[in-house]
Amino acid sequence: MCPLVFSCDFLLQEHVELHLLGQHSGQRSFQCPMCSAVYSNSFCLQEHVELHFDHELSRDQSGSPHSDLMLAKELQHKEELKRKQEQAQLERQEFKKLQRQFGLDGRGGYRRQMERSMERAVASGHLAPVDFHLKKADMMESLASGVDDGSSRTQGVIRALGDYYQTECRDSVQVWLAVDTDHYSSSAGDKGWGCGYRNFQMLLSSLHRIDAYSSVLQEKTIPCIPRVQRMIEEAWKEGLDPQGASHFSKRLQRTQAWIGGTEMYVLLTSLGISARIIDFHQPTGSKNTHPHLFDWVKQYFCQSSKSSSLSPRLILTHLPPLYLQHQGHSRTVVGLEQRKNGSLCLLLLDPGSSSSDTRKLLSRETRLTAVQFVRKFPRNLKHKQYQLIAVQGVLSPEEKQIRIFNSRTLSAERTP
């Protein structure tokens, strides 16, 4: 239909269709200035002429009769390469975000974060240089020994809560409290990522006060966070939770990596202590609440055969507290309150609460306000999922080996 030649069948088909369209549509005609093709509208003519120029340009650039096909393939290859590069760049950015979120981005661990915090305090005038060196020396001594220095610990919290419910609280009919548990708050060295480690310290402080557990715990001190990280790495080497170990590349020391319920289970199992992981994987009440979680906690505290009652409504159990995990944070359940209207209220110790705020529980003048930060009702726990870790006895050597073997496919008890 015209002398134009193409080496690409797609371009040829498009060109011929424009010829045919020009022959069978409309009455007014527009003739191509480069060949004999005639079109009924200017739009079709413009597309046709552009094909002429595209063809001539490709011939001028290569001088090859197949240059239009080669050019098309080259452009396609470049576009595909660009797309893959952009995708790889996006994946690298997302991976770095995840690394930073979970403390695996090489910023250093507890020691480095503490040093940076003290250096900023010196630069701002809030810490004298001589105090900086004293604090750093104390930190290095703690890290060398593997024992927590106790600077963020608050003792006597359970006794203070018992005193409050015995003498001041009038709107509850029954209160259960765990065995005496020390509160450990996050410090400058682990702020933003240390909640799991601090909750382990709280749980361990309670186990030291229960004869059945203290007899199997070889170390009678509370480990510092770097030591806890080393304990988890040692548990992985025993064969516990290989999938979890792979997630962290088998390394926690000198990182700011978060730990959760699975690592708590690994720690306890490695110490010869039996633990359960219970998943509350969806809300069971209105407005995204978890009443089933509260019922489970009540059943846990009611099971205690060894308990003492200081008043008709206050029961001091000999049970360790529970580890409570949700997305982004964890806390320690040290008790449960049942109110006159039948509603339940968890009593939580939060590592995010400072030592100074926690110590307000110890004074009757400030206790009424401070206890409000400990009490949590169903309306206060509205994350989609929660997880509890419950201690339930001591493992025999044979039982521990079975737990290690089964942890290759570690799974939680799902409820309901």
Side-chain angles (χ1 to χ4, degrees):
M1 303 179 76
C2 77
L4 195 59
V5 178
F6 295 93
S7 60
C8 174
D9 55 353
F10 173 75
L11 292 175
L12 174 62
Q13 180 182 349
E14 199 173 54
H15 179 82
V16 171
E17 286 175 354
L18 287 172
H19 273 288
L20 295 174
L21 184 63
Q23 290 179 359
H24 298 288
S25 62
Q27 295 182 354
R28 186 181 176 187
S29 63
F30 295 86
Q31 185 171 0
C32 173
M34 303 181 72
C35 70
S36 59
V38 178
Y39 297 96
S40 61
N41 61 73
S42 58
F43 174 75
C44 291
L45 174 63
Q46 181 179 351
E47 280 199 335
H48 174 85
V49 172
E50 286 176 354
L51 283 172
H52 276 288
F53 283 111
D54 288 344
H55 175 73
E56 291 300 324
L57 178 61
S58 64
R59 287 182 63 89
D60 291 343
Q61 288 177 339
S62 66
S64 167
H66 302 291
S67 60
D68 51 353
L69 178 60
M70 294 173 64
L71 180 61
K73 287 183 176 180
E74 183 180 355
L75 291 173
Q76 183 180 5
H77 174 71
K78 288 182 178 179
E79 186 67 27
E80 182 70 15
L81 185 62
K82 181 181 178 182
R83 186 189 66 79
K84 289 182 177 179
Q85 289 173 340
E86 290 175 348
Q87 181 66 23
Q89 177 67 15
L90 182 62
E91 289 176 357
R92 283 194 295 270
Q93 291 173 352
E94 290 298 319
F95 184 64
K96 286 181 179 179
K97 286 181 183 178
L98 286 173
Q99 283 185 313
R100 185 170 185 83
Q101 179 182 351
F102 292 103
L104 299 170
D105 58 348
R107 286 177 291 169
Y110 178 89
R111 171 184 169 180
R112 186 69 194 104
Q113 181 168 317
M114 180 66 86
E115 287 175 341
R116 283 197 295 261
S117 175
M118 292 190 296
E119 287 165 0
R120 287 193 296 268
V122 172
S124 63
H126 291 93
L127 183 67
V130 63
D131 293 328
F132 167 83
H133 292 291
L134 289 173
K135 285 180 174 290
K136 186 173 180 179
D138 291 340
M139 178 188 69
M140 297 305 294
E141 182 180 350
S142 172
L143 297 180
S145 67
V147 178
D148 188 86
D149 62 8
S151 60
S152 71
R153 179 182 62 186
T154 301
Q155 296 178 296
V157 174
I158 303 300
R159 290 193 300 273
L161 288 172
D163 185 56
Y164 167 76
Y165 282 107
Q166 191 175 3
T167 61
E168 298 178 52
C169 183
R170 294 288 179 263
D171 54 0
S172 62
V173 293
Q174 199 86 63
V175 178
W176 295 264
L177 291 176
V179 73
D180 195 16
T181 303
D182 297 336
H183 175 263
Y184 283 83
S185 65
S186 296
S187 67
D190 61 286
K191 186 177 181 180
W193 57 274
C195 58
Y197 304 95
R198 295 302 184 181
N199 282 306
F200 174 69
Q201 291 176 326
M202 293 190 215
L203 179 56
L204 195 58
S205 75
S206 73
L207 297 179
H208 284 157
R209 296 180 170 103
I210 303 174
D211 292 340
Y213 298 110
S214 63
S215 61
V216 300
L217 293 171
Q218 296 179 359
E219 296 184 12
K220 306 304 179 184
T221 55
I222 301 297
C224 62
I225 287 180
R227 172 62 182 140
V228 176
Q229 292 177 320
R230 188 160 67 251
M231 290 167 65
I232 297 174
E233 292 179 359
E234 291 167 354
W236 287 337
K237 290 177 182 177
E238 287 186 78
L240 277 159
D241 189 25
Q243 291 185 3
S246 176
H247 170 76
F248 290 103
S249 300
K250 300 181 180 180
R251 177 175 171 266
L252 286 176
Q253 294 185 79
R254 294 178 294 280
T255 74
Q256 298 176 18
W258 298 3
I259 62 169
T262 302
E263 289 70 47
M264 191 67 55
Y265 176 89
V266 166
L267 275 167
L268 292 168
T269 304
S270 69
L271 293 172
I273 294 172
S274 176
R276 297 169 61 189
I277 307 177
I278 304 96
D279 269 349
F280 299 86
H281 58 95
Q282 63 183 14
T284 52
S286 60
K287 299 181 180 179
N288 296 318
T289 55
H290 291 262
H292 195 77
L293 166 63
F294 284 72
D295 291 338
W296 196 99
V297 174
K298 181 180 178 181
Q299 292 175 14
Y300 171 79
F301 281 113
C302 286
Q303 66 162 330
S304 178
S305 58
K306 295 180 180 180
S307 60
S308 58
S309 180
L310 297 180
S311 69
R313 67 172 182 269
L314 178 60
I315 299 173
L316 300 178
T317 73
H318 284 73
L319 293 169
L322 298 163
Y323 174 95
L324 176 66
Q325 177 77 51
H326 61 79
Q327 179 64 38
H329 195 40
S330 59
R331 288 169 283 185
T332 297
V333 185
V334 295
L336 181 85
E337 171 188 343
Q338 183 167 347
R339 314 198 78 184
K340 290 179 179 179
N341 61 6
S343 64
L344 298 176
C345 167
L346 297 185
L347 304 178
L348 302 182
L349 295 184
D350 190 338
S353 296
S354 66
S355 298
S356 58
D357 285 340
T358 303
R359 290 179 184 126
K360 292 177 181 177
L361 289 167
L362 309 182
S363 170
R364 291 195 175 188
E365 286 73 26
T366 54
R367 182 180 297 158
L368 184 60
T369 301
V371 78
Q372 303 309 315
F373 296 99
V374 175
R375 303 164 97 181
K376 299 297 175 183
F377 297 92
R379 65 176 180 271
N380 303 125
L381 272 66
K382 300 177 73 172
H383 284 269
K384 184 178 179 181
Q385 297 175 329
Y386 286 89
Q387 191 175 73
L388 283 173
I389 309 298
V391 170
Q392 59 172 15
V394 175
L395 295 171
S396 68
E398 294 77 16
E399 289 172 331
K400 179 179 176 180
Q401 290 305 312
I402 293 173
R403 293 288 179 96
I404 292 174
F405 179 81
N406 291 338
S407 72
R408 292 186 299 177
T409 53
L410 190 60
S411 59
E413 303 172 35
R414 288 170 65 89
T415 182

